[in-house]
Amino acid sequence: MQPFQTGNTWFLAQFKPNSHKIAERNLRRQKFQTFLPLHEETKRRAGRFTTTLRPLFTGYMFVAFDASKGGWHAINSTYGITRLVSFSDDPQPVPLDLISRLMLRCDEGGKLLPPRILKPGDAVEISGGPFAEFVATVEKVDPDQRVWVLLDLMGRTTRVAVHSKALRQV
């Protein structure tokens, strides 16, 4: 992954079907910074299981450039790219917070890393349900992705079961 260049803003580009490698290569040749998060996908083919790296957001990649300098129209005519996602003829920037969080979850090649495994004693924030935005402590993690957390409710410690997808480490 290329180092982040200051002054650049991230935008979303749609690429043609199965053209992410071609599009990424051609954008980099034009000195555009790209970010294509990938994830492993396992499929059964000819009686065997094969694992391949596929784009996390099918059909889309992120491109960084300084919109104030112009020159972004070249992206729309890049081989492998369909168009920049735009509204009212201007490309719409992607929030930097989203890009930075995605980059932190990926390795140098853009492959999405597995989420950090929770262990007893970890501080977590509940992201959904009736206890959303509550901070809790992990007590136990079951193999079925259910996590038992301890919440402080009205001065008492309460044990609650939450799915691991509804938790975010603090």
Side-chain angles (χ1 to χ4, degrees), residues 62-89:
F62 300 100
V63 181
F65 55 89
D66 188 352
S68 65
K69 291 182 180 178
W72 58 266
H73 293 285
I75 294 173
N76 287 337
S77 59
T78 298
Y79 188 70
I81 294 290
T82 302
R83 65 183 177 87
L84 273 172
V85 175
S86 57
F87 301 101
S88 69
D89 297 329

PDB file of all heavy atoms in Angstrom, residues 62-89:
ATOM      1  N   PHE A  62     -11.062   2.690  -3.962  1.00  0.00           N
ATOM      2  CA  PHE A  62     -10.869   4.059  -3.522  1.00  0.00           C
ATOM      3  C   PHE A  62      -9.682   4.666  -4.263  1.00  0.00           C
ATOM      4  O   PHE A  62      -8.668   4.005  -4.473  1.00  0.00           O
ATOM      5  CB  PHE A  62     -10.620   4.104  -2.011  1.00  0.00           C
ATOM      6  CG  PHE A  62     -11.757   3.541  -1.212  1.00  0.00           C
ATOM      7  CD1 PHE A  62     -11.701   2.253  -0.699  1.00  0.00           C
ATOM      8  CD2 PHE A  62     -12.899   4.294  -0.965  1.00  0.00           C
ATOM      9  CE1 PHE A  62     -12.749   1.733   0.033  1.00  0.00           C
ATOM     10  CE2 PHE A  62     -13.955   3.775  -0.236  1.00  0.00           C
ATOM     11  CZ  PHE A  62     -13.879   2.490   0.262  1.00  0.00           C
ATOM     12  N   VAL A  63      -9.834   5.929  -4.645  1.00  0.00           N
ATOM     13  CA  VAL A  63      -8.785   6.657  -5.356  1.00  0.00           C
ATOM     14  C   VAL A  63      -8.585   7.995  -4.652  1.00  0.00           C
ATOM     15  O   VAL A  63      -9.560   8.679  -4.332  1.00  0.00           O
ATOM     16  CB  VAL A  63      -9.170   6.907  -6.838  1.00  0.00           C
ATOM     17  CG1 VAL A  63      -8.060   7.631  -7.560  1.00  0.00           C
ATOM     18  CG2 VAL A  63      -9.519   5.614  -7.528  1.00  0.00           C
ATOM     19  N   ALA A  64      -7.324   8.357  -4.415  1.00  0.00           N
ATOM     20  CA  ALA A  64      -7.023   9.624  -3.741  1.00  0.00           C
ATOM     21  C   ALA A  64      -6.386  10.595  -4.729  1.00  0.00           C
ATOM     22  O   ALA A  64      -5.524  10.220  -5.525  1.00  0.00           O
ATOM     23  CB  ALA A  64      -6.084   9.391  -2.570  1.00  0.00           C
ATOM     24  N   PHE A  65      -6.843  11.830  -4.679  1.00  0.00           N
ATOM     25  CA  PHE A  65      -6.254  12.888  -5.495  1.00  0.00           C
ATOM     26  C   PHE A  65      -6.680  14.229  -4.917  1.00  0.00           C
ATOM     27  O   PHE A  65      -7.593  14.315  -4.101  1.00  0.00           O
ATOM     28  CB  PHE A  65      -6.671  12.774  -6.971  1.00  0.00           C
ATOM     29  CG  PHE A  65      -8.148  12.744  -7.201  1.00  0.00           C
ATOM     30  CD1 PHE A  65      -8.869  13.910  -7.378  1.00  0.00           C
ATOM     31  CD2 PHE A  65      -8.821  11.535  -7.245  1.00  0.00           C
ATOM     32  CE1 PHE A  65     -10.238  13.875  -7.589  1.00  0.00           C
ATOM     33  CE2 PHE A  65     -10.189  11.488  -7.473  1.00  0.00           C
ATOM     34  CZ  PHE A  65     -10.898  12.663  -7.636  1.00  0.00           C
ATOM     35  N   ASP A  66      -5.992  15.267  -5.347  1.00  0.00           N
ATOM     36  CA  ASP A  66      -6.307  16.626  -4.916  1.00  0.00           C
ATOM     37  C   ASP A  66      -7.320  17.191  -5.904  1.00  0.00           C
ATOM     38  O   ASP A  66      -6.976  17.550  -7.033  1.00  0.00           O
ATOM     39  CB  ASP A  66      -5.040  17.474  -4.879  1.00  0.00           C
ATOM     40  CG  ASP A  66      -5.271  18.840  -4.255  1.00  0.00           C
ATOM     41  OD1 ASP A  66      -6.442  19.192  -3.979  1.00  0.00           O
ATOM     42  OD2 ASP A  66      -4.273  19.547  -4.033  1.00  0.00           O
ATOM     43  N   ALA A  67      -8.583  17.266  -5.486  1.00  0.00           N
ATOM     44  CA  ALA A  67      -9.663  17.707  -6.371  1.00  0.00           C
ATOM     45  C   ALA A  67      -9.503  19.164  -6.779  1.00  0.00           C
ATOM     46  O   ALA A  67      -9.973  19.565  -7.846  1.00  0.00           O
ATOM     47  CB  ALA A  67     -11.007  17.497  -5.695  1.00  0.00           C
ATOM     48  N   SER A  68      -8.828  19.960  -5.956  1.00  0.00           N
ATOM     49  CA  SER A  68      -8.671  21.375  -6.280  1.00  0.00           C
ATOM     50  C   SER A  68      -7.749  21.590  -7.486  1.00  0.00           C
ATOM     51  O   SER A  68      -7.833  22.604  -8.162  1.00  0.00           O
ATOM     52  CB  SER A  68      -8.137  22.148  -5.074  1.00  0.00           C
ATOM     53  OG  SER A  68      -6.825  21.710  -4.761  1.00  0.00           O
ATOM     54  N   LYS A  69      -6.871  20.641  -7.775  1.00  0.00           N
ATOM     55  CA  LYS A  69      -5.963  20.747  -8.913  1.00  0.00           C
ATOM     56  C   LYS A  69      -6.600  20.274 -10.217  1.00  0.00           C
ATOM     57  O   LYS A  69      -6.024  20.432 -11.275  1.00  0.00           O
ATOM     58  CB  LYS A  69      -4.695  19.930  -8.653  1.00  0.00           C
ATOM     59  CG  LYS A  69      -3.826  20.507  -7.565  1.00  0.00           C
ATOM     60  CD  LYS A  69      -2.573  19.688  -7.403  1.00  0.00           C
ATOM     61  CE  LYS A  69      -1.696  20.269  -6.321  1.00  0.00           C
ATOM     62  NZ  LYS A  69      -0.488  19.463  -6.110  1.00  0.00           N
ATOM     63  N   GLY A  70      -7.792  19.667 -10.105  1.00  0.00           N
ATOM     64  CA  GLY A  70      -8.446  19.146 -11.309  1.00  0.00           C
ATOM     65  C   GLY A  70      -7.750  17.888 -11.768  1.00  0.00           C
ATOM     66  O   GLY A  70      -7.046  17.222 -11.022  1.00  0.00           O
ATOM     67  N   GLY A  71      -7.923  17.547 -13.012  1.00  0.00           N
ATOM     68  CA  GLY A  71      -7.266  16.365 -13.556  1.00  0.00           C
ATOM     69  C   GLY A  71      -7.952  15.054 -13.216  1.00  0.00           C
ATOM     70  O   GLY A  71      -7.510  13.998 -13.652  1.00  0.00           O
ATOM     71  N   TRP A  72      -9.030  15.133 -12.459  1.00  0.00           N
ATOM     72  CA  TRP A  72      -9.702  13.903 -12.062  1.00  0.00           C
ATOM     73  C   TRP A  72     -10.546  13.320 -13.189  1.00  0.00           C
ATOM     74  O   TRP A  72     -10.946  12.162 -13.131  1.00  0.00           O
ATOM     75  CB  TRP A  72     -10.546  14.117 -10.812  1.00  0.00           C
ATOM     76  CG  TRP A  72     -11.600  15.173 -10.912  1.00  0.00           C
ATOM     77  CD1 TRP A  72     -11.477  16.476 -10.547  1.00  0.00           C
ATOM     78  CD2 TRP A  72     -12.932  15.025 -11.404  1.00  0.00           C
ATOM     79  NE1 TRP A  72     -12.644  17.145 -10.789  1.00  0.00           N
ATOM     80  CE2 TRP A  72     -13.569  16.271 -11.309  1.00  0.00           C
ATOM     81  CE3 TRP A  72     -13.661  13.959 -11.919  1.00  0.00           C
ATOM     82  CZ2 TRP A  72     -14.870  16.492 -11.704  1.00  0.00           C
ATOM     83  CZ3 TRP A  72     -14.971  14.176 -12.308  1.00  0.00           C
ATOM     84  CH2 TRP A  72     -15.558  15.426 -12.200  1.00  0.00           C
ATOM     85  N   HIS A  73     -10.792  14.083 -14.231  1.00  0.00           N
ATOM     86  CA  HIS A  73     -11.558  13.563 -15.372  1.00  0.00           C
ATOM     87  C   HIS A  73     -10.814  12.415 -16.065  1.00  0.00           C
ATOM     88  O   HIS A  73     -11.436  11.581 -16.726  1.00  0.00           O
ATOM     89  CB  HIS A  73     -11.858  14.675 -16.375  1.00  0.00           C
ATOM     90  CG  HIS A  73     -12.807  15.705 -15.833  1.00  0.00           C
ATOM     91  ND1 HIS A  73     -14.156  15.462 -15.705  1.00  0.00           N
ATOM     92  CD2 HIS A  73     -12.604  16.959 -15.362  1.00  0.00           C
ATOM     93  CE1 HIS A  73     -14.745  16.538 -15.189  1.00  0.00           C
ATOM     94  NE2 HIS A  73     -13.820  17.460 -14.969  1.00  0.00           N
ATOM     95  N   ALA A  74      -9.504  12.369 -15.894  1.00  0.00           N
ATOM     96  CA  ALA A  74      -8.707  11.294 -16.487  1.00  0.00           C
ATOM     97  C   ALA A  74      -9.077   9.936 -15.903  1.00  0.00           C
ATOM     98  O   ALA A  74      -8.920   8.909 -16.568  1.00  0.00           O
ATOM     99  CB  ALA A  74      -7.223  11.567 -16.268  1.00  0.00           C
ATOM    100  N   ILE A  75      -9.574   9.917 -14.678  1.00  0.00           N
ATOM    101  CA  ILE A  75      -9.952   8.657 -14.049  1.00  0.00           C
ATOM    102  C   ILE A  75     -11.101   8.008 -14.816  1.00  0.00           C
ATOM    103  O   ILE A  75     -11.107   6.791 -15.028  1.00  0.00           O
ATOM    104  CB  ILE A  75     -10.329   8.880 -12.562  1.00  0.00           C
ATOM    105  CG1 ILE A  75      -9.096   9.324 -11.786  1.00  0.00           C
ATOM    106  CG2 ILE A  75     -10.922   7.612 -11.951  1.00  0.00           C
ATOM    107  CD1 ILE A  75      -9.358   9.741 -10.372  1.00  0.00           C
ATOM    108  N   ASN A  76     -12.073   8.799 -15.236  1.00  0.00           N
ATOM    109  CA  ASN A  76     -13.231   8.255 -15.955  1.00  0.00           C
ATOM    110  C   ASN A  76     -12.848   7.604 -17.288  1.00  0.00           C
ATOM    111  O   ASN A  76     -13.582   6.745 -17.775  1.00  0.00           O
ATOM    112  CB  ASN A  76     -14.282   9.337 -16.194  1.00  0.00           C
ATOM    113  CG  ASN A  76     -15.020   9.695 -14.926  1.00  0.00           C
ATOM    114  OD1 ASN A  76     -15.084   8.917 -13.978  1.00  0.00           O
ATOM    115  ND2 ASN A  76     -15.590  10.881 -14.898  1.00  0.00           N
ATOM    116  N   SER A  77     -11.738   8.006 -17.867  1.00  0.00           N
ATOM    117  CA  SER A  77     -11.325   7.403 -19.140  1.00  0.00           C
ATOM    118  C   SER A  77     -10.179   6.405 -18.973  1.00  0.00           C
ATOM    119  O   SER A  77      -9.593   5.974 -19.955  1.00  0.00           O
ATOM    120  CB  SER A  77     -10.924   8.500 -20.131  1.00  0.00           C
ATOM    121  OG  SER A  77      -9.861   9.259 -19.607  1.00  0.00           O
ATOM    122  N   THR A  78      -9.888   6.033 -17.733  1.00  0.00           N
ATOM    123  CA  THR A  78      -8.835   5.052 -17.476  1.00  0.00           C
ATOM    124  C   THR A  78      -9.337   3.656 -17.833  1.00  0.00           C
ATOM    125  O   THR A  78     -10.456   3.289 -17.488  1.00  0.00           O
ATOM    126  CB  THR A  78      -8.413   5.094 -15.985  1.00  0.00           C
ATOM    127  OG1 THR A  78      -7.888   6.390 -15.702  1.00  0.00           O
ATOM    128  CG2 THR A  78      -7.367   4.047 -15.673  1.00  0.00           C
ATOM    129  N   TYR A  79      -8.500   2.885 -18.505  1.00  0.00           N
ATOM    130  CA  TYR A  79      -8.854   1.530 -18.901  1.00  0.00           C
ATOM    131  C   TYR A  79      -9.112   0.691 -17.647  1.00  0.00           C
ATOM    132  O   TYR A  79      -8.282   0.620 -16.755  1.00  0.00           O
ATOM    133  CB  TYR A  79      -7.725   0.918 -19.734  1.00  0.00           C
ATOM    134  CG  TYR A  79      -8.074  -0.406 -20.350  1.00  0.00           C
ATOM    135  CD1 TYR A  79      -8.990  -0.484 -21.389  1.00  0.00           C
ATOM    136  CD2 TYR A  79      -7.513  -1.576 -19.880  1.00  0.00           C
ATOM    137  CE1 TYR A  79      -9.331  -1.692 -21.956  1.00  0.00           C
ATOM    138  CE2 TYR A  79      -7.841  -2.796 -20.437  1.00  0.00           C
ATOM    139  CZ  TYR A  79      -8.756  -2.852 -21.469  1.00  0.00           C
ATOM    140  OH  TYR A  79      -9.104  -4.059 -22.020  1.00  0.00           O
ATOM    141  N   GLY A  80     -10.290   0.092 -17.567  1.00  0.00           N
ATOM    142  CA  GLY A  80     -10.681  -0.719 -16.412  1.00  0.00           C
ATOM    143  C   GLY A  80     -11.642  -0.004 -15.489  1.00  0.00           C
ATOM    144  O   GLY A  80     -12.309  -0.626 -14.684  1.00  0.00           O
ATOM    145  N   ILE A  81     -11.735   1.312 -15.596  1.00  0.00           N
ATOM    146  CA  ILE A  81     -12.622   2.114 -14.743  1.00  0.00           C
ATOM    147  C   ILE A  81     -13.883   2.466 -15.526  1.00  0.00           C
ATOM    148  O   ILE A  81     -13.824   2.854 -16.689  1.00  0.00           O
ATOM    149  CB  ILE A  81     -11.928   3.414 -14.278  1.00  0.00           C
ATOM    150  CG1 ILE A  81     -10.754   3.099 -13.355  1.00  0.00           C
ATOM    151  CG2 ILE A  81     -12.906   4.363 -13.598  1.00  0.00           C
ATOM    152  CD1 ILE A  81     -11.137   2.561 -11.995  1.00  0.00           C
ATOM    153  N   THR A  82     -15.034   2.348 -14.852  1.00  0.00           N
ATOM    154  CA  THR A  82     -16.293   2.765 -15.449  1.00  0.00           C
ATOM    155  C   THR A  82     -16.487   4.253 -15.225  1.00  0.00           C
ATOM    156  O   THR A  82     -16.710   5.013 -16.163  1.00  0.00           O
ATOM    157  CB  THR A  82     -17.475   1.982 -14.841  1.00  0.00           C
ATOM    158  OG1 THR A  82     -17.247   0.593 -15.048  1.00  0.00           O
ATOM    159  CG2 THR A  82     -18.781   2.383 -15.467  1.00  0.00           C
ATOM    160  N   ARG A  83     -16.396   4.669 -13.940  1.00  0.00           N
ATOM    161  CA  ARG A  83     -16.592   6.086 -13.623  1.00  0.00           C
ATOM    162  C   ARG A  83     -16.279   6.332 -12.149  1.00  0.00           C
ATOM    163  O   ARG A  83     -16.245   5.408 -11.348  1.00  0.00           O
ATOM    164  CB  ARG A  83     -18.028   6.506 -13.896  1.00  0.00           C
ATOM    165  CG  ARG A  83     -19.023   5.794 -12.990  1.00  0.00           C
ATOM    166  CD  ARG A  83     -20.466   6.156 -13.304  1.00  0.00           C
ATOM    167  NE  ARG A  83     -21.353   5.387 -12.458  1.00  0.00           N
ATOM    168  CZ  ARG A  83     -21.749   5.741 -11.241  1.00  0.00           C
ATOM    169  NH1 ARG A  83     -21.337   6.867 -10.713  1.00  0.00           N
ATOM    170  NH2 ARG A  83     -22.571   4.978 -10.551  1.00  0.00           N
ATOM    171  N   LEU A  84     -16.067   7.596 -11.822  1.00  0.00           N
ATOM    172  CA  LEU A  84     -16.006   8.023 -10.429  1.00  0.00           C
ATOM    173  C   LEU A  84     -17.436   8.187  -9.932  1.00  0.00           C
ATOM    174  O   LEU A  84     -18.292   8.689 -10.669  1.00  0.00           O
ATOM    175  CB  LEU A  84     -15.296   9.372 -10.294  1.00  0.00           C
ATOM    176  CG  LEU A  84     -13.793   9.359 -10.149  1.00  0.00           C
ATOM    177  CD1 LEU A  84     -13.254  10.773 -10.218  1.00  0.00           C
ATOM    178  CD2 LEU A  84     -13.360   8.700  -8.879  1.00  0.00           C
ATOM    179  N   VAL A  85     -17.692   7.782  -8.716  1.00  0.00           N
ATOM    180  CA  VAL A  85     -19.025   7.969  -8.150  1.00  0.00           C
ATOM    181  C   VAL A  85     -19.193   9.455  -7.873  1.00  0.00           C
ATOM    182  O   VAL A  85     -18.399  10.060  -7.151  1.00  0.00           O
ATOM    183  CB  VAL A  85     -19.206   7.142  -6.864  1.00  0.00           C
ATOM    184  CG1 VAL A  85     -20.537   7.432  -6.216  1.00  0.00           C
ATOM    185  CG2 VAL A  85     -19.082   5.658  -7.179  1.00  0.00           C
ATOM    186  N   SER A  86     -20.207  10.049  -8.497  1.00  0.00           N
ATOM    187  CA  SER A  86     -20.396  11.492  -8.358  1.00  0.00           C
ATOM    188  C   SER A  86     -21.872  11.837  -8.361  1.00  0.00           C
ATOM    189  O   SER A  86     -22.709  11.074  -8.836  1.00  0.00           O
ATOM    190  CB  SER A  86     -19.684  12.235  -9.493  1.00  0.00           C
ATOM    191  OG  SER A  86     -20.153  11.791 -10.735  1.00  0.00           O
ATOM    192  N   PHE A  87     -22.145  12.999  -7.815  1.00  0.00           N
ATOM    193  CA  PHE A  87     -23.489  13.552  -7.801  1.00  0.00           C
ATOM    194  C   PHE A  87     -23.376  14.979  -8.327  1.00  0.00           C
ATOM    195  O   PHE A  87     -22.462  15.705  -7.953  1.00  0.00           O
ATOM    196  CB  PHE A  87     -24.077  13.558  -6.383  1.00  0.00           C
ATOM    197  CG  PHE A  87     -24.138  12.179  -5.786  1.00  0.00           C
ATOM    198  CD1 PHE A  87     -23.189  11.766  -4.864  1.00  0.00           C
ATOM    199  CD2 PHE A  87     -25.128  11.294  -6.159  1.00  0.00           C
ATOM    200  CE1 PHE A  87     -23.227  10.501  -4.317  1.00  0.00           C
ATOM    201  CE2 PHE A  87     -25.175  10.022  -5.618  1.00  0.00           C
ATOM    202  CZ  PHE A  87     -24.226   9.614  -4.694  1.00  0.00           C
ATOM    203  N   SER A  88     -24.256  15.358  -9.199  1.00  0.00           N
ATOM    204  CA  SER A  88     -24.262  16.691  -9.820  1.00  0.00           C
ATOM    205  C   SER A  88     -22.910  17.015 -10.472  1.00  0.00           C
ATOM    206  O   SER A  88     -22.345  18.080 -10.260  1.00  0.00           O
ATOM    207  CB  SER A  88     -24.663  17.775  -8.815  1.00  0.00           C
ATOM    208  OG  SER A  88     -23.657  17.957  -7.835  1.00  0.00           O
ATOM    209  N   ASP A  89     -22.380  16.055 -11.210  1.00  0.00           N
ATOM    210  CA  ASP A  89     -21.159  16.212 -12.003  1.00  0.00           C
ATOM    211  C   ASP A  89     -19.870  16.417 -11.214  1.00  0.00           C
ATOM    212  O   ASP A  89     -18.821  16.670 -11.802  1.00  0.00           O
ATOM    213  CB  ASP A  89     -21.311  17.356 -13.013  1.00  0.00           C
ATOM    214  CG  ASP A  89     -22.407  17.070 -14.025  1.00  0.00           C
ATOM    215  OD1 ASP A  89     -22.622  15.883 -14.334  1.00  0.00           O
ATOM    216  OD2 ASP A  89     -23.038  18.034 -14.499  1.00  0.00           O
TER     217      ASP A  89
END
